[in-house]
Amino acid sequence: MNSTQIICIVCPMGCHLEVAHDSASGTYSVSGNKCSRGKEYGINELSNPTRVVTSTVVIEGAHLKRLPVKTNRPIAKGKMFECMKEIDKVRVIAPVKMGQIILKDIAGTGADLIATRSMG
Amino acid sequence: MYDVVIIGAGIMGTFIARELSRYKLRIAVLEKSNDVANATTKANSAIVHSGYDAKVGSLKAKFNVLGNPMFDKVCEELDVPLRRIDSLVLAFNEDEMTTIGELYERGISNGLKKITLIDKEQVASLEPNLNKTVLGALRTTDCGIVGPFELAVALAENAMDNGAELFLNNEVKSIDKVSEGYIVHTNEGSYKAKYLVNCAGVHADEINNMVAKESFRIKPRRGQYFVLDKSAGNLVNSVVFQCPTSMGKGVLVLPTVHGNLLVGPDSQDIDVKDNFDTTLDDLENVKLVARKTIINIPFDKVITSFVGLRATPDTGDFVIGEAGDAKGFINVAGIESPGLSASPAIALHVVELLKSISGGFEEKKDFNPIRRKLTRFYELSEQEKTEAIKRDPRYGRVICRCENITEGEIVDVIHRKAGARTVDGVKRRTRPGMGRCQGGFCGPRVIEILSRELGINMLDVVKDGVSSKILDKETKGI
Amino acid sequence: MYDIIVIGGGPAGLAAAIEAKKNGIDSILVIERDRELGGILQQCIHNGFGLHVFKEELTGPEYAEKFINELKELGIEYKLDSMVLNITEDKKVDFINSIDGYVSVKTKAIILAMGCRERTRGAIGIAGARPAGVFTAGAAQRFLNMEGYMVGKTVVILGSGDIGLIMARRLTLEGAKVKVVLERMPHPGGLTRNIVQCLDDYNIPLRLAHTVTSIKGKDRVEGVTIVAIDKSGSIIPGSEEYMECDTLILSVGLIPENELTENAGIAIDPATKGAYVNEAMETSQEGVFACGNVVHVHDLVDYVTEESRLAGRSAARYINDELRASAKAVRTKQGNGIGYIVPQFIRTENLLGGVNLFMRVRSVYSNSKLVVKADGRIIKEIKRSHMIPSEMERVQLSKEVLAAADIKELAIEVMEVEQ
């Protein structure tokens, strides 16, 4: 049984969670949380941490040289830099609409890269 | 072949170039930095002193007293900000009362007219914010505050308008004596001249030693200053000195010509000539000493601090004149305080000196002493603002929010002769980034404008020195 | 002649204008100094915005675009690239731009929404050289996210405010090495989620109670001197340590940008550095309202929106003569442990429902309560398990509670709860 201390970021409360992992049974238990979302966060953060990646891609024909983008859902934390490599290669041409898909299934994560603003 | 090559484009080099440009001469100014006025001239107390401080009979006293009244005309001709204000030297005890009495006598001996001793009530009525323990003060009413780098920039521009040539990024490496004069070798090329004028500031001794035997040394003396927000600019109406001690003139408190408050400098001899680093302890000490003048200086309104380097000569006085062992080589060295105040008179003196050495110069009929006026958008009336924007829509786009500087003004100072090439160069000429945000908002826009107007890549725009690149690379592997 | 002129087209100005329009005011002008609407949100490309207002996590540009679209759909007039130079007591607004030139226009009400600016190197007194490579976090963020430029390769970040933390992540993702984030205070300056997701995720160390005292480098930053700070806030002698880097990013606080406000003679609260406001977000000058970071620096844009909607609604009520100027005001007062409270005045008579009091605590508190006292008498207690200065606290009071007694002063303080 090993336990990890993390701070819950689901809401601004910032509960100090202790997540215990029982490797024999493969189960997690969370203490220190004040709501069920905290428990879920604690387990996910240890078993399969995910993040939304936000970045920019090169855009041509717009008033700015970069278009902000994000993954439309959280991806595995370990995949972030792989994702960035894909993002760095993208070149788009204006006009672009907010929400428009820029890259489908980025780095095999199942998430799409979408524009987070309209431009041009 | 140039008639005159001037080494150094600080206040002295540019002033002499401008005064020489009245004559039919080929003039070159060599500057090691990438901008004019980029060392001692850009960082000092910015005062036109009255002239009571320098020793009777010294060159400092002579040229200070001669130079002071010349500022009004030249600043008018070149559209440089100058404000005539009082100066006060405060006395806090009987010893200091004696000292200001002596300063008064010295002032009279130096030929000053507008100088008086005043009592504590008069001090309080002139400067209500001062420490109440003041006993009396020496007052002069012919002091002034000026923009020193603006003056040097304007002098350079006007000299170039009248035919002088400016070579930036030219550091003098060696000088050869030849039969017709001298050949100056820089990192960029060689310049042949009949006469050389050495205005190399803290490096003037090194230049002298390239052609003449060592006769003086320059030991830089560092002074540190605070600049406070304009909301503190009204704390004093005059240049307020403390009594001079063996350590120097003491810390001053004064308004700047742009309405900020300036507090400093301290005084330290240093070994390295180009050390412009401020130090935490010394800045704290400046605060401490300044509080003697005004107890409640709002140091929470500091917007920046800086170092000034005085080109202090070991001779104790300005070194001005032809080197004994190098004909046609004129030193204008050791121009520490009151160097700025003395600069107009020194420039005229050097011109006369060169005339007498050469047998005289022919005057140009078409010399134009007037510099095209800057548009200071914020100072214009409603009507003038409207007209300025109609004339050039770029005056309708404010780039610097703190000082309300428009794109039109920035583009103008880039395209003038001796124009801005760097972010700090733009800042020194027209002030975006001088305000309380210190360029946080306008910095990126100024870089963009410099890049566009100079036709260079954003990545190649520098802050100040040639290697002071601001941006590292484009993202996304471009 | 307009009914309302809104100065600033960032999140505060947009929300205020939209809300005023929805409350029946047709003649509205929004004046924005930048090239586009949205303000600083356009460079905040990270997510985490909108959880309160939209119940979903948005990036800054998305949050902005929703409001910009609504503003356009409502047909609200706006001017871009336009700088307000002056506002006068009789509500004349002078502004300039390249197209209209110098414009002087009268209005019935003004809403100030100019936002804030960053504290700089000079303001925090870092000594040493003045090379290139020292950036405020916001300036670096604009270069990186909007212009597409890296500001350096090896970076030290001073200040653990949110922008500093966000920039640590962005720079790392774009290939820079962020060596450390330093925080002068013994507690972080930014939101916990940003510490976790921007620093911990990338193994970027956060050193609390440390700061930078000096910068080395003639042309470009070569390194910085780092020192430790003791409990009294002084430098611990002998703790100096030199760290090589080519970039120093400062995230050392934001200051409401109130030049126009001050020049117009409007009273400024030294605690917030923004205008004193009442329950209607009205300043000391009748008919001049203020909202967002120009009033006090927020950490969540959602609260800016909420506060700005109130300002927009109030401006509409003012124009419709529904606000009682002479109504008696209760003064709010920051008690023990509280840095400031907004609004500073409450005219109970003008309240429609309740009032939201926004405040910041002075240091970190766990297991405490916020105690509301009306002229010394406790009228409300709110338990808080965790409070930190970087996260704004909100206390809601109903009109009934306030109207019940003839209150002069409403104080809020922090009290530790006995375990």
Side-chain angles (χ1 to χ4, degrees), chain B residues 10-19 41 44 47-49 59-60 62-71 74-75 146-148 151-152 155 199 318 320 332 335-351:
Chain B
I11 189 69
M12 277 326 317
T14 55
F15 224 133
I16 291 167
R18 193 257 185 170
E19 292 309 319
T41 302
N44 54 70
I47 300 169
V48 181
H49 291 279
L59 292 178
K60 285 182 179 177
K62 174 183 160 189
F63 289 120
N64 184 167
V65 175
L66 281 172
N68 176 307
M70 297 178 179
F71 271 83
V74 72
C75 288
V146 69
L151 178 56
L155 287 162
C199 304
F318 296 154
I320 297 171
V332 182
I335 310 298
E336 60 172 346
S337 179
L340 172 63
S341 319
S343 60
I346 297 173
L348 290 186
H349 174 78
V350 170
V351 172

Side-chain angles (χ1 to χ4, degrees), chain A residues 6 8 21 41 48 53 61 86 109 111 116:
Chain A
I6 58 171
C8 182
H21 182 219
Y41 172 80
N48 177 32
V53 171
E86 300 261 308
T109 58
T116 55

Side-chain angles (χ1 to χ4, degrees), chain C residues 178-246:
Chain C
V178 177
K179 295 179 100 172
V180 68
V181 175
L182 307 166
E183 170 57 54
R184 189 186 175 94
M185 303 299 285
H187 48 79
L191 302 172
T192 310
R193 58 173 290 145
N194 286 334
I195 307 279
V196 173
Q197 294 202 345
C198 299
L199 302 188
D200 298 353
D201 274 5
Y202 303 92
N203 299 314
I204 299 167
L206 169 64
R207 290 169 75 180
L208 299 172
H210 280 76
T211 191
V212 170
T213 52
S214 183
I215 295 169
K216 189 185 161 204
K218 190 176 181 307
D219 281 325
R220 178 80 196 191
V221 174
E222 290 165 21
V224 294
T225 304
I226 296 170
V227 296
I229 302 293
D230 67 15
K231 280 191 180 128
S232 69
S234 309
I235 293 168
I236 297 173
S239 66
E240 290 84 3
E241 145 186 16
Y242 179 72
M243 188 178 278
E244 279 183 14
C245 60
D246 64 18

Side-chain angles (χ1 to χ4, degrees), chain C residues 246-358:
Chain C
D246 64 18
T247 306
L248 174 66
I249 288 182
L250 303 174
S251 175
V252 291
L254 301 169
I255 307 164
E257 198 158 47
N258 275 300
E259 281 69 37
L260 284 175
T261 322
E262 285 178 56
N263 290 341
I266 291 168
I268 302 286
D269 182 352
T272 56
K273 299 191 166 61
Y276 284 103
V277 289
N278 59 27
E279 80 299 329
M281 300 307 294
E282 189 182 28
T283 65
S284 63
Q285 199 163 312
E286 214 182 295
V288 179
F289 299 80
C291 54
N293 283 349
V294 80
V295 179
H296 59 130
V297 176
H298 296 63
D299 40 75
L300 293 178
V301 71
D302 298 69
Y303 286 165
V304 169
T305 299
E306 196 179 293
E307 182 180 287
S308 306
R309 284 175 172 164
L310 170 61
R313 213 155 45 233
S314 303
R317 289 175 70 198
Y318 169 80
I319 287 165
N320 294 328
D321 220 8
E322 294 164 18
L323 278 184
R324 290 274 312 276
S326 58
K328 199 174 65 64
V330 179
R331 175 80 164 96
T332 59
K333 194 190 157 207
Q334 54 270 36
N336 190 31
I338 304 286
Y340 72 77
I341 302 175
V342 168
Q344 291 87 346
F345 299 97
I346 305 166
R347 299 169 302 182
T348 311
E349 209 176 329
N350 283 325
L351 291 177
L352 294 175
V355 62
N356 276 317
L357 299 174
F358 292 100

Side-chain angles (χ1 to χ4, degrees), chain C residues 111-128:
Chain C
I111 300 177
L112 304 172
M114 293 90 73
C116 58
R117 64 162 183 269
E118 298 177 279
R119 288 181 78 211
T120 63
R121 171 186 180 176
I124 56 169
I126 302 176

